[in-house]
Amino acid sequence: QVQLVESGGGSVQAGGSLRLSCAASGFTYRSYCMGYFRQVPGKEREGVAVIYTLGGHTVYADSVKGRFTISQDNAKNTVYLQMNSLKPEDTAVYYCAAESVPSSVSWYNCPLIDAGLYLYWGQGTQVTVSS
């Protein structure tokens, strides 16, 4: 049973920084796509950043490129999202997500557009950025 436990988040003023963490347990495959999606009331969940755990390839939404960095600690099965230069429009509930990649290739372009492709989800953490 895969479980994703999120930590981090909170409230910050515009221009500030926050770091989210997502610790995974119960992984049975050698490689996964892991990352973060976010959602505001009345809107669909949107991809923020994802990473391929075996090769480290990352994918970012255009809206966060240059401000957010996703990274991983494979020994801890943990993914981090460092968020800098935060803007009020970054305010949302951030969800950690994971999906297995059974092929174990060295490079894989994890999907960011369709949240429905991810099977495993964390509980969500609120990020609020005030102007």
Side-chain angles (χ1 to χ4, degrees), residues 4-15:
L4 304 177
V5 178
E6 301 181 50
S7 59
S11 298
V12 66
Q13 288 192 328

Side-chain angles (χ1 to χ4, degrees), residues 2-102:
V2 173
Q3 287 189 323
L4 304 177
V5 178
E6 301 181 50
S7 59
S11 298
V12 66
Q13 288 192 328
S17 299
L18 288 172
R19 190 175 85 153
L20 306 181
S21 300
C22 176
S25 61
F27 276 175
T28 56
Y29 285 95
R30 188 170 172 226
S31 54
Y32 286 78
C33 288
M34 283 187 70
Y36 283 89
F37 290 72
R38 65 187 181 187
Q39 190 170 24
V40 297
K43 290 192 176 182
E44 290 189 355
R45 199 166 291 188
E46 66 168 354
V48 176
V50 290
I51 187 168
Y52 178 51
T53 62
L54 186 58
H57 179 65
T58 58
V59 183
Y60 292 93
D62 288 343
S63 59
V64 306
K65 282 180 182 177
R67 300 189 297 122
F68 291 11
T69 302
I70 190 168
S71 61
Q72 61 177 341
D73 183 336
N74 283 342
K76 297 181 180 179
N77 270 356
T78 299
V79 167
Y80 305 97
L81 184 68
Q82 178 67 42
M83 304 184 293
N84 298 329
S85 302
L86 282 161
K87 304 176 181 179
E89 50 264 43
D90 294 318
T91 296
V93 177
Y94 283 69
Y95 294 91
C96 178
E99 182 52 68
S100 60
V101 183

